[in-house]
Amino acid sequence: MFLCGLLHDSGKCKRVFENYLRANENERKKLRGTIAHASTGAKYIYDRYHGYDGSARVMAEMISYAIAAHHGIFDCVDAEHTDLFSKKLRSVADYEEACRNAERDYLDDYNTDEIFAEAAAEFQVVWDSVKKLFEELRPLFRAENPVQLREMAYVCRQFLFSCLQRLMLSILIDSDWKATSDFMQNVSADEVKKEDTKEIFRKAREHFDAYMQEKQRKLKNLPLSDREKAIFAARDTLQKLCRQFARHSAGVYCLPVPTGGGKTLSGLAYALEFCRQHPETERIIYVSPFISITEQNAQVFREAIGNDEWILEHHSSVVRDDKEDSEDSRHRCSYRFEINWEEPFICTTFVQFMNTLFSDQSASIRRMHRLTNAVVIIDEVQSMPVKCVHTFNYMISFLNAVCNTNIILCTATQPTLADAQCPVCYSEPKNMIDNSEEWYRKFERVRIETPANKYTFETLGAEIAEQTAAYSSILVVLNTKSAVRKLYEVLRARNVNVAYLTTNLCAEHRSDRISSIKKELGNPAKSIVAVSTNLIEAGVDISFACVYRSMTGLDSLAQTAGRCNRNGEMDFGIVRLIELEDEHTGNILELQQNIRITRNVLRQYLKEETADSLLMQRWLDEYYRQVYSCEADSMNFPVKALGTSVLELLSTGFGPDKPKNFMNQAYRTAGQAYRVIDDHSFGVIVPYKKGEELIAAIQETEDPARIKSYIRQAQRYTVNVRESLYKSYEGLIRPVSEKIPGLYMTAVPGAYSEEYGIAPEWETLIF
């Protein structure tokens, strides 16, 4: 990486760039973006060292690409099989002049040959790690014949090296942006003083232990039933087992904790103990599939470790991506405000995590190296879209093998990722706790009722209104926002005490509403009904006596069941799986497929007439087996418009007729296609509570550090909006400030309501 840093801006050592710097503002505006410089250092390295053999040759190529791409990634080979990488290196303007000046000004102070030789020795270690991982993965491939096995092996090897290329690029981009930011703010390296991470983790661990002791003290003073005591005792035992597991080195492990097993605190207890036993650990990152879980986990972290400044809650793209990913766009200040995961504790979403690993945006790429020497706990991993499975499996295997990343796949419904065609490389022992079926029985608190007839919104509303006499609390989880809105209005018309929950409410608003529901749950004299999308089905610490769940994947049903009789308040709660006639899933193809498979498994279950629960691991294994069988062709992350997939784009690329280089991947095309949610989104800050103050503060201050702090806080006052509908928002949103391109706010008074969040007239615009 020293060579990357040394040569990445060597193309600026020429007269035309000096003239640009000395020009007046109007002239600079005309010239911005027209003076290319990134390829100079790339060509210097390539020409000088690409003639080496073996891994040194590959290293020269990868350094060259990182330098050439540090202002925006590009495809090495395009769809027409043109070698764009070589083309960039052939057409470098003012190359001789720039090299001559760079050597005179600073390069002659360094022995680049000696530095390259030292780097090559280091790279060989990494090269060997990648090869070792490849050899461990190869026997796990599920190939039908030798030809397919060879193809899979080549794809796997090249994909792993593309991961390494991205890691190098991440380090270079983050260093470049940080240096630029410090220079623009007149901050010297000596002025940047950070508390020692080991000391932070020590303090956090001490506070966590005191926090858990206080929770235990409060529990002892509560009038708990034997059933409740048994559940709390089981959670305590699980947490102790997780702490004990911290003796193992970094790996890829599973934490199969049943719903209601307290996995957030168990995971945090494990991570803090791992940091103590493995002092090289730099960061604890908690990844959740839903914003609601991210919000709740971040709050749990704040309470448990006792210092909000150590925690970053990152779930919304508050600053809209600038498609012009250039140095000019960065100098218009976005580089100063992007979130780059510096904090020791990160709570983020699966979307942001996967953007960090695969997006083409430099703001995402720069975060990847923060995963090195980190504990990454991926909560509710079963919620990952099927299309992501193969790229996810290979990438997390790479992170563990090369970056010393400790990855915990945490869920009550473990997907069988090792059975995928492109498998994950689990460590030994695979599971952090043994006898998951036995643990499920300890936490079994519900009875599942399967569909007997179909409902309309009116008949469902009528039944729920009647059931409020039998149950003091009812949760209804539906698949779409429009369905939630419709049932909510049906129940409200029947004078039912009903609460509405969707992501049309900003994070702070959802937290307030969930807190309000919890308070009402504590009043048995007054019934409460909550109607929600799946944002509540996993990770939200809340308990209802009865739950209705519209037909969904079996994994989602299991997660929803975790919101019923959560602490064993009753012998058993009731979870009703229902068919809702008028609930249209539209083009949610994966949901439709999962529903079909659930119906298949349900038929098998009913035919067997077993006393075991539908949520036992054997039925979940059968569910995942059918999902993976039906979706085998979709797990490579298809790019239908190009007749290829992200897996292929990041391994074989478009493939030149006569490969000249080792690396031929189509990085930019893959990054543009990689959208976990099919329609990319950005955040709009809304005037809910502190949101209005933050908007005003951002508009009034000129201090970049304070603006970045305000944007960080604005995560909780943001609603995500579909990127594809951006042009439709004229009059509804507007920029917060001209100082920050891509940062938006609501522009219409009343566009954000206390009842629905984003107002009804926005309903067709917000996903």
Side-chain angles (χ1 to χ4, degrees), residues 103-303:
E103 288 169 350
R104 180 198 65 205
D105 293 344
Y106 73 96
L107 272 183
D108 283 346
D109 294 338
Y110 301 92
N111 186 332
T112 54
D113 292 342
E114 187 176 298
I115 295 170
F116 185 88
E118 292 174 0
E122 294 176 1
F123 186 81
Q124 184 64 50
V125 176
V126 178
W127 173 277
D128 290 342
S129 297
V130 173
K131 287 175 66 177
K132 181 183 177 184
L133 172 60
F134 170 69
E135 293 302 330
E136 290 174 351
L137 283 168
R138 187 167 183 161
L140 305 177
F141 295 153
R142 297 182 176 275
E144 296 178 2
N145 54 62
V147 173
Q148 186 185 26
L149 179 61
R150 285 195 298 272
E151 290 174 352
M152 290 179 65
Y154 181 70
V155 165
C156 176
R157 185 191 71 165
Q158 293 301 106
F159 183 91
L160 294 175
F161 278 105
S162 77
C163 298
L164 180 57
Q165 179 72 80
R166 187 176 181 92
L167 178 63
M168 293 173 62
L169 190 57
S170 171
I171 297 169
L172 178 58
I173 291 174
D174 192 41
S175 301
D176 187 30
W177 286 27
K178 182 65 168 63
T180 304
S181 176
D182 288 348
F183 175 78
M184 296 292 287
Q185 297 177 63
N186 198 28
V187 175
S188 69
D190 294 336
E191 294 179 78
V192 181
K193 293 182 180 179
K194 290 190 176 181
E195 191 172 356
D196 180 62
T197 305
K198 297 185 188 68
E199 183 65 10
I200 288 174
F201 289 144
R202 185 191 64 77
K203 291 179 180 178
R205 190 167 58 252
E206 287 180 354
H207 193 281
F208 179 83
D209 290 342
Y211 171 80
M212 292 307 304
Q213 288 171 10
E214 178 63 15
K215 285 179 74 72
Q216 292 290 341
R217 187 190 65 78
K218 288 181 178 179
L219 281 174
K220 287 178 181 178
N221 295 327
L222 293 176
L224 301 176
S225 66
D226 289 343
R227 177 68 168 153
E228 288 174 306
K229 288 178 181 177
I231 286 177
F232 284 117
R235 289 173 182 165
D236 188 47
T237 301
L238 277 172
Q239 188 176 126
K240 289 176 182 175
L241 290 173
C242 288
R243 285 178 187 254
Q244 291 170 13
F245 196 84
R247 69 184 184 276
H248 294 284
S249 60
V252 180
Y253 302 111
C254 292
L255 180 55
V257 175
T259 54
K263 60 182 180 294
T264 300
L265 287 174
S266 291
L268 181 55
Y270 162 80
L272 289 169
E273 179 61 18
F274 185 88
C275 291
R276 185 184 73 81
Q277 297 195 33
H278 306 271
E280 72 278 9
T281 308
E282 299 174 8
R283 201 161 278 104
I284 295 172
I285 302 174
Y286 213 108
V287 181
S288 311
F290 306 121
I291 292 174
S292 57
I293 308 178
T294 304
E295 296 157 3
Q296 177 171 286
N297 287 346
Q299 185 58 34
V300 170
F301 275 39
R302 291 185 190 100
E303 294 172 1

Side-chain angles (χ1 to χ4, degrees), residues 355-424:
N355 283 348
T356 296
L357 299 174
F358 295 106
S359 170
D360 63 312
Q361 294 297 308
S362 293
S364 295
I365 297 170
R366 73 180 293 205
R367 297 195 296 261
M368 182 183 175
H369 75 99
R370 302 292 185 182
L371 300 173
T372 59
N373 295 320
V375 180
V376 178
I377 301 174
I378 304 177
D379 199 2
E380 311 299 355
V381 68
Q382 82 289 340
S383 299
M384 170 174 53
V386 169
K387 65 185 179 181
C388 299
V389 169
H390 287 165
T391 52
F392 174 84
N393 283 353
Y394 281 167
M395 178 60 89
I396 65 168
S397 297
F398 168 85
L399 289 173
N400 173 240
V402 176
C403 304
N404 194 41
T405 310
N406 188 23
I407 297 167
I408 310 301
L409 305 179
C410 184
T411 178
T413 54
Q414 285 287 342
T416 51
L417 297 177
D419 294 335
Q421 194 174 59
C422 300
V424 70

Side-chain angles (χ1 to χ4, degrees), residues 26 37 74 78 90 139 146 166-167 188 190 203 229 234 293 296 303 324 353 356 389 488 496 546 567 639 699 702 719:
N26 289 333
H37 71 273
F74 58 89
D78 67 14
R90 286 197 303 268
R166 187 176 181 92
L167 178 63
S188 69
D190 294 336
K203 291 179 180 178
K229 288 178 181 177
I293 308 178
Q296 177 171 286
E303 294 172 1
E324 182 196 355
F353 179 69
T356 296
V389 169
Y488 170 78
V496 173
C546 177
N567 297 315
V639 185
Q699 291 171 332
E702 297 293 331
V719 175

